[in-house]
Amino acid sequence: MTPSRRPRSTPSSRTTLDDRELRLWQVGRALTVTFVVAVLVAGAVFYGLVALLDVQEIDRTAKLDAKTLFDLVKLSFGVVAGAGALVALVVAYRRQRVDEAGARREATRLHRRLPGQSCSSARPLHCRAGSR
């Protein structure tokens, strides 16, 4: 006979449970939605500025001069920095939510402790009440 085994909980299943408990999206979905919204907002701002400035046509040159090349390099660095900032914001938001849930869970655990149980050095209120 083989002993009955409990299914091992993998880190991904624990993460999914915590995400459902916290009502958080998966990181991939959150980052994808954030990037799509950022691109749509940037496009709307660009289109709004073009319409506001009443641009009739864009001058097309086949030759790329040094000033334009450096502007393109700056623009590409700006896009990468903005993408990194979006990732940092999403990760920081998720970390904050998980930390708050952990603190709430810990406070609930301390308040549910039975009066007969030993208390730590932090000594919750119900532990101090019986030790006069």
Side-chain angles (χ1 to χ4, degrees):
M1 281 199 238
T2 60
S4 61
R5 293 187 195 181
R6 291 176 45 204
R8 284 191 284 181
S9 62
T10 60
S12 63
S13 68
R14 278 183 269 152
T15 303
T16 306
L17 179 63
D18 290 341
D19 287 351
R20 263 188 270 135
E21 178 182 317
L22 295 173
R23 296 183 189 155
L24 292 176
W25 288 353
Q26 293 178 353
V27 175
R29 178 186 290 172
L31 289 175
T32 302
V33 169
T34 304
F35 281 120
V36 168
V37 168
V39 167
L40 289 175
V41 167
V45 168
F46 177 76
Y47 179 74
L49 288 174
V50 167
L52 182 67
L53 295 174
D54 196 30
V55 175
Q56 299 298 324
E57 70 179 56
I58 297 175
D59 185 25
R60 296 181 186 195
T61 59
K63 198 169 188 178
L64 187 66
D65 60 343
K67 183 181 181 298
T68 307
L69 178 65
F70 289 134
D71 286 341
L72 288 174
V73 169
K74 286 192 295 188
L75 180 66
S76 63
F77 283 139
V79 167
V80 170
L86 279 175
V87 169
L89 283 173
V90 168
V91 170
Y93 171 74
R94 290 176 60 86
R95 183 177 296 143
Q96 180 68 28
R97 290 281 309 264
V98 169
D99 287 346
E100 287 173 359
R104 193 176 321 117
R105 206 174 296 126
E106 179 67 18
T108 303
R109 186 184 65 80
L110 289 176
H111 288 295
R112 287 184 179 174
R113 181 176 280 171
L114 295 175
Q117 290 179 339
S118 65
C119 297
S120 64
S121 61
R123 297 188 59 108
L125 183 62
H126 68 270
C127 290
R128 283 187 259 149
S131 63
R132 291 186 195 193

